[in-house]
Amino acid sequence: MIEFRDPVAEHIKAFILDETAMEIDNRDYPSDPVWREYRETGSRVWLYGNDTSAQEVWTRDMEAVYLDTPLVIDAFRQDHFTGLTLEANGVLKGLPGDERIKEIAFIINARNAVATSKRFAARVCVEIPLFSDSASEISQYARRLYQVCPEHLLPALPYSSEGITAAAELQKAGIPIIVRTEYSPQQVKNSIRHASPNYVALGNFHDTREVPMPSAQELRALFDHLEKPEKTTLIACGMDSEEKIRRFMGFPIIVATPEAVRNYQRKPVAGKRGVPAPEAETASGTPGMQNRKELRDIALQSRNAYDELVLIIRNAIDSN
């Protein structure tokens, strides 16, 4: 990975920020009483996704947009990034093949995030994929992405030994970060102890017999006993239904899909207290923590998604 002070990195940054190449659909987003009332419960809403369906449900009452590598892959499959890939390949023709592919992936990730920030007039949380076993290389990637647009881009590092080490380096440099964990008090504890991040994202939440979905109250009970800096805020990811949005009302931050937001909009909770969630039935009394098989491995997911993105980039270049 090119170092962020390298002249080539500055050239790449200028290429990313070329507004003439961005398709920006600026809208005058409204405020909405449903989401104003939701905020009054103490919850802030982040939206997962940046396509047309996300724009249709976005309001000024929402705080940020959350992007990950699978979203980039989905956009690639719809042919949104083929032109950018070929243009970037020409700009970076002086770099060796593997290094060039890595930088093209960086350009796509960063350009997509900057365009999203402008489109929604909001902060954008961007996944830093685990593309390397080197914590310093992952840190360089995150640092460079943040420096592209410091006021709007927030790096999110998946939980792993490399990710936590990189997160600690970034915090020392004064760069705000998210650490993405599974629904695991131990991972949250390790993240806070070793990296002291601004945010810890918990995800994703399943609702099965083996892994009952916790309520916001149960989560607070689980995590409130952890010693953490005041600046560290917990995020509940994977709000993909209106029921989850109701259940997690009052949690500091939720990340919801456009479909879940749309469905909740049709059937909001009356009043500000929400609905009491049923107790999760588990053998040991710790809600939803017994069966780990149903939970996604955040680090493995990140590595696999990045490998898939690299393959798509190579295929786009080879076929043109």
Side-chain angles (χ1 to χ4, degrees), residues 302-316:
S302 179
R303 290 181 190 276
N304 290 345
Y306 181 78
D307 289 345
E308 184 175 356
L309 177 61
V310 165
L311 181 61
I312 292 173
I313 291 172
R314 289 188 190 278
N315 288 341

Side-chain angles (χ1 to χ4, degrees), residues 47-68:
L47 192 65
Y48 177 78
N50 62 342
D51 59 7
T52 302
S53 65
Q55 286 185 279
E56 289 171 352
V57 300
W58 177 264
T59 80
R60 290 202 302 269
D61 314 290
M62 297 173 185
E63 185 175 83
V65 179
Y66 196 102
L67 303 179
D68 62 11

Side-chain angles (χ1 to χ4, degrees), residues 196-232:
S196 186
N198 302 77
Y199 304 91
V200 176
L202 314 168
N204 283 319
F205 293 96
H206 299 259
D207 195 9
T208 68
R209 252 186 341 184
E210 292 81 11
V211 185
M213 186 171 55
S215 67
Q217 292 80 9
E218 290 166 337
L219 272 178
R220 279 199 296 268
L222 270 175
F223 292 102
D224 277 353
H225 72 281
L226 297 176
E227 292 184 13
K228 64 182 181 65
E230 284 188 15
K231 70 175 181 181
T232 300

Side-chain angles (χ1 to χ4, degrees), residues 11-60:
H11 182 59
I12 290 172
K13 177 180 175 181
F15 178 75
I16 291 167
L17 292 173
D18 181 3
E19 292 200 21
T20 63
M22 294 187 201
E23 295 182 8
I24 306 299
D25 178 13
N26 289 319
R27 304 186 186 187
D28 184 15
Y29 295 104
S31 179
D32 189 281
V34 168
W35 299 108
R36 287 202 303 272
E37 187 170 21
Y38 197 89
R39 284 178 64 99
E40 289 173 6
T41 69
S43 285
R44 291 133 66 190
V45 179
W46 294 5
L47 192 65
Y48 177 78
N50 62 342
D51 59 7
T52 302
S53 65
Q55 286 185 279
E56 289 171 352
V57 300
W58 177 264
T59 80
R60 290 202 302 269

Side-chain angles (χ1 to χ4, degrees), residues 4 11-12 32 61 119 121 123 174 207 213 222 245 263 273 292 301 311 317:
F4 78 100
H11 182 59
I12 290 172
D32 189 281
D61 314 290
R119 188 174 296 120
R123 199 174 199 185
D207 195 9
M213 186 171 55
L222 270 175
I245 292 178
N263 290 337
R273 296 181 61 187
R292 307 295 297 164
Q301 176 201 11
L311 181 61
I317 292 171

Side-chain angles (χ1 to χ4, degrees), residues 13 56 81 85 105 180 183 193 240 256 276 283:
K13 177 180 175 181
E56 289 171 352
F81 293 130
T85 296
R180 297 176 58 230
Y183 168 38
R193 177 184 298 163
D240 55 5

Side-chain angles (χ1 to χ4, degrees), residues 214-272:
S215 67
Q217 292 80 9
E218 290 166 337
L219 272 178
R220 279 199 296 268
L222 270 175
F223 292 102
D224 277 353
H225 72 281
L226 297 176
E227 292 184 13
K228 64 182 181 65
E230 284 188 15
K231 70 175 181 181
T232 300
T233 302
L234 298 182
I235 304 170
C237 296
M239 304 293 103
D240 55 5
S241 72
E242 67 273 23
E243 170 59 25
K244 290 183 183 179
I245 292 178
R246 291 189 192 95
R247 185 182 286 252
F248 283 81
M249 180 180 286
F251 201 72
I253 298 174
I254 66 165
V255 182
T257 64
E259 182 179 6
V261 166
R262 185 178 293 106
N263 290 337
Y264 180 84
Q265 182 86 23
R266 297 188 187 115
K267 298 181 291 184
V269 173
K272 301 175 185 177

Side-chain angles (χ1 to χ4, degrees), residues 121-140:
R123 199 174 199 185
V124 177
C125 311
V126 191
E127 180 182 63
I128 307 301
L130 292 178
F131 62 91
S132 170
D133 291 328
S134 166
S136 61
E137 196 171 10
I138 294 169
S139 175
Q140 280 286 357

